[in-house]
Amino acid sequence: MKELVINVTPLETRIALLENQRLAELIIERQESRSLVGNIYKGRVDSVVPGIQAAFVDIGFEKNGFLYVSDIAGVEGTGDFVFEEGTVRPRTKHRRGRHPSIENILKKNQNIMVQVSKDTLGTKGVRLTNFVTLPGRYLVLMPTVSHLGISRKIEEDHERERLRSILQPLRPHGMGIIVRTAAEDRKKAELEGDIKYLTKVWAEIKAKMEDMKGESLLHEDLGPILRVVRDLFTQDISKLTVDDATEYDRILKFLDRFAPQLKKRCKLYNAKRPIFDKSGIEEEIQKALQRKVYLKRGGYICIDQTEALVAIDVNTGRFTGTKHLEETVFQTNIEAAQEIAHQMRLRDIGGIIVIDFIDMRYERNRKELIRRLQDALKADRAKTTVSEISELGMIEMTRKRVKHNLMKALSQPCPYCEGSGMVRSITTMTLDLMRQLQSLFCHSREKAVILQVHTDVARRLRTENKTLLDQLAKDFGRQIAVESVSDFHIHDVKILSARTRKEVTAQ
């Protein structure tokens, strides 16, 4: 059973997809950082970099967008391209050297139509593509590619053939169409209506491209709520609940045009208790921000995110299982595989992922684990690839990343540990301070100093390490006083002149 729950506030929109009353996906969009994915711009090539076969394109924002040569359909319009594995690619036999050099395609200050394919991630600008896609309710129009594709989730052969026979003569000349899952069992008139609407939108975009001067927005994709209604609200969603009357009316008007049969599944929530609290979603969001995730049988997984990759470690924890070790390990790994697939989808983890499952002796158990993990990943809309278990007992996989994951969307690096998760110990701080004083006394004639330090460090200097501090003062003929400062970070240290109370340095 699937349902959508939408929470709307003036500063934030949150959309939850529940599967069997458990949070499966969470989409968050804030006014201060709205997603640009799907927007189409008239851009200006700011620079061409042959060394990485890419161009930086100014689309009117502080940071330029990034356009790879493989994402360029051709300066004049359509080229000879095919649609492979959800990605538009040039039609050549060999991957190496199949693209013409970017400096032969784009020139500095040239105008080009681009679409945002990925939002800003870290210090990078948005990822751009010249392969424009215009999503409708049932179809996706690709004006720069000549291709007809059908969603793999439509599995019945006769239905695939029916859709192909309807759409082949309707496909606009020189353009491509991808049939979405929502098109299953739809009538010709509904599909034709989608094509007419999308071709009209494309004509408007092309006209703006000609008329607009300078970098400008040509087409803005739907907002987060209507985008989810368009892309996710299909027959397998039993209910959609929203807590805002204005958005509720907008959803009904949208469905009036594109899917009137789904209007009866929409509900307006107007109780005083927050909708995410009532549905238990708030509690699940808090759990999704934690490093450790407990499994039902007592095992647990640890999720550590770094700049380069995500490491996931599986542990048996309290689960002792049966009297056979191999069976206990196998059951823990299987349960962990299900939970890892769920957490990757919920947290929107992307990039390279390394999973350290517990070692198993038997090859049949290792193969079964990979099969179960792949099955669990089928519910994920993001593209994933899974390797075999390596000699070190780990599985490497990738998951397509489009936006910031949940951790980065809802948190920021700790100002104390600067994102490392660690701070220097009191012992380390004490020893560092001794060395710092020794260096200072060698370069300064200051007779009496005051140490301002964190409360815990001050306590150590006055008790366990008082003898060391007194010996240092005696060796150099100095006086050292210790002051604790309650609002100091444990790394903070100030050495003041007792005479002027100004900071003293070794220089």
Side-chain angles (χ1 to χ4, degrees):
M1 189 179 73
K2 297 181 181 179
E3 63 176 296
L4 288 165
V5 181
I6 304 173
N7 169 231
V8 182
T9 64
L11 298 179
E12 179 184 63
T13 297
R14 300 186 298 173
I15 304 165
L17 171 64
L18 302 183
E19 293 181 353
N20 297 320
Q21 298 185 323
R22 189 183 183 196
L23 182 61
E25 292 185 31
L26 181 67
I27 299 167
I28 299 176
E29 185 154 312
R30 291 172 173 168
Q31 288 296 327
E32 62 185 26
S33 56
R34 296 185 65 183
S35 175
L36 301 177
V37 172
N39 289 359
I40 301 172
Y41 294 87
K42 180 177 183 177
R44 178 186 60 82
V45 178
D46 188 55
S47 62
V48 178
V49 188
I52 56 174
Q53 284 297 293
F56 290 94
V57 181
D58 182 0
I59 57 173
F61 293 96
E62 184 179 347
K63 290 180 181 176
N64 289 337
F66 194 71
L67 178 67
Y68 282 109
V69 67
S70 58
D71 291 324
I72 302 173
V75 178
E76 300 300 326
T78 60
D80 191 18
F81 296 89
V82 293
F83 194 82
E84 295 177 357
E85 299 176 355
T87 306
V88 183
R89 301 187 184 282
R91 187 193 299 276
T92 57
K93 292 182 180 179
H94 304 289
R95 291 184 178 273
R96 283 180 179 267
R98 64 183 177 183
H99 308 296
S101 295
I102 194 164
E103 61 268 32
N104 295 330
I105 302 174
L106 298 180
K107 304 297 179 186
K108 185 177 171 65
N109 293 324
Q110 178 181 335
N111 289 326
I112 183 172
M113 184 188 296
V114 288
Q115 186 172 33
V116 177
S117 59
K118 284 185 182 180
D119 280 318
T120 299
L121 292 173
T123 58
K124 300 176 183 177
V126 294
R127 172 82 179 266
L128 301 174
T129 179
N130 184 235
F131 294 105
V132 174
T133 56
L134 295 173
R137 173 66 181 170
Y138 305 117
L139 310 167
V140 177
L141 182 69
M142 300 185 298
T144 59
V145 179
S146 181
H147 174 81
L148 175 60
I150 299 175
S151 168
R152 291 179 181 178
K153 291 185 178 179
I154 300 176
E155 296 177 348
E156 295 292 334
D157 289 340
H158 72 274
E159 177 61 12
R160 295 176 69 86
E161 282 304 312
R162 183 187 76 88
L163 290 168
R164 195 179 298 277
S165 64
I166 290 173
L167 291 167
Q168 196 65 264
L170 294 177
R171 181 167 64 90
H173 178 70
M175 297 189 192
I177 289 175
I178 297 296
V179 182
R180 311 188 74 165
T181 311
E184 192 168 13
D185 298 326
R186 295 294 102 198
K187 296 178 181 177
K188 178 181 177 180
E190 294 174 289
L191 303 177
E192 190 172 11
D194 230 18
I195 292 175
K196 287 180 179 179
Y197 167 72
L198 293 173
T199 50
K200 181 182 176 183
V201 171
W202 174 239
E204 292 171 354
I205 291 170
K206 286 198 297 181
K208 285 184 181 179
M209 181 70 183
E210 295 295 325
D211 297 341
M212 294 281 193
K213 294 183 179 179
E215 302 76 46
S216 51
L217 176 65
L218 303 177
H219 172 76
E220 186 172 13
D221 199 10
L222 296 173
I225 294 176
L226 293 186
R227 194 162 61 236
V228 164
V229 172
R230 179 192 69 196
D231 297 344
L232 294 184
F233 193 25
T234 53
Q235 293 292 343
D236 61 342
I237 302 289
S238 60
K239 185 169 64 172
L240 182 152
T241 311
V242 59
D243 63 359
D244 182 87
T246 303
E247 292 296 340
Y248 175 71
D249 289 339
R250 289 182 66 209
I251 291 169
L252 292 184
K253 287 178 183 177
F254 182 86
L255 292 174
D256 253 335
R257 180 173 183 176
F258 294 104
Q261 72 277 9
L262 295 177
K263 286 176 63 178
K264 61 185 178 183
R265 302 188 187 187
C266 296
K267 308 293 179 187
L268 175 63
Y269 181 84
N270 49 23
K272 288 186 177 180
R273 187 179 178 185
I275 189 170
F276 270 29
D277 185 39
K278 183 178 185 298
S279 306
I281 299 171
E282 291 291 5
E283 184 180 353
E284 291 212 48
I285 293 173
Q286 294 306 313
K287 288 180 180 178
L289 295 176
Q290 295 172 5
R291 174 177 175 264
K292 189 177 286 189
V293 180
Y294 288 97
L295 306 175
K296 289 181 180 178
R297 296 186 181 187
Y300 63 90
I301 60 174
C302 292
I303 303 173
D304 292 299
Q305 301 183 38
T306 70
E307 285 294 320
L309 51 81
V310 176
I312 302 177
D313 186 41
V314 180
N315 298 276
T316 54
R318 299 189 313 272
F319 179 53
T320 55
T322 63
K323 56 185 177 181
H324 299 293
L325 175 62
E326 177 75 5
E327 183 63 22
T328 301
V329 168
F330 177 68
Q331 290 178 15
T332 302
N333 281 340
I334 293 297
E335 190 179 3
Q338 303 283 340
E339 187 61 34
I340 287 167
H342 175 79
Q343 290 295 327
M344 285 195 300
R345 188 177 167 202
L346 172 57
R347 300 180 187 218
D348 205 7
I349 295 170
I352 300 170
I353 300 153
V354 178
I355 309 170
D356 185 10
F357 284 104
I358 307 167
D359 289 341
M360 294 180 292
R361 287 180 58 194
Y362 301 124
E363 180 67 20
R364 67 174 184 272
N365 287 345
R366 291 195 286 269
K367 287 183 177 179
E368 179 65 12
L369 174 62
I370 292 174
R371 189 188 69 79
R372 295 282 192 97
L373 177 61
Q374 290 172 332
D375 285 347
L377 290 169
K378 286 180 180 178
D380 197 341
R381 291 185 295 134
K383 183 182 177 182
T384 57
T385 58
V386 181
S387 73
E388 297 292 323
I389 296 180
S390 72
E391 292 180 4
L392 299 176
M394 292 184 285
I395 290 179
E396 298 170 11
M397 64 174 293
T398 62
R399 184 176 185 273
K400 188 176 180 182
R401 174 166 49 196
V402 175
K403 59 183 186 299
H404 285 301
N405 61 45
L406 192 65
M407 181 67 76
K408 290 186 177 178
L410 297 182
S411 59
Q412 64 183 29
C414 169
Y416 294 102
C417 70
E418 297 178 340
S420 71
M422 305 288 284
V423 293
R424 276 176 274 175
S425 67
I426 296 171
T427 300
T428 300
M429 283 305 303
T430 304
L431 296 173
D432 282 350
L433 188 53
M434 293 293 187
R435 287 188 284 267
Q436 195 173 336
L437 282 171
Q438 190 172 358
S439 177
L440 174 67
F441 293 157
C442 289
H443 295 88
S444 170
R445 296 182 179 180
E446 202 71 47
K447 290 295 182 183
V449 296
I450 300 169
L451 294 183
Q452 288 189 334
V453 292
H454 184 270
T455 306
D456 292 340
V457 178
R459 187 181 300 113
R460 177 70 67 88
L461 291 170
R462 289 171 181 154
T463 55
E464 295 174 46
N465 298 129
K466 186 177 185 304
T467 306
L468 290 175
L469 195 63
D470 290 344
Q471 186 62 48
L472 184 65
K474 182 180 178 182
D475 289 345
F476 284 91
R478 311 294 173 98
Q479 293 180 345
I480 305 172
V482 179
E483 286 184 2
S484 62
V485 184
S486 59
D487 59 353
F488 262 27
H489 172 25
I490 196 166
H491 291 176
D492 290 342
V493 172
K494 279 188 180 180
I495 304 176
L496 308 179
S497 165
R499 179 171 47 87
T500 63
R501 290 194 69 87
K502 289 183 180 179
E503 198 162 355
V504 182
T505 62
Q507 288 75 24

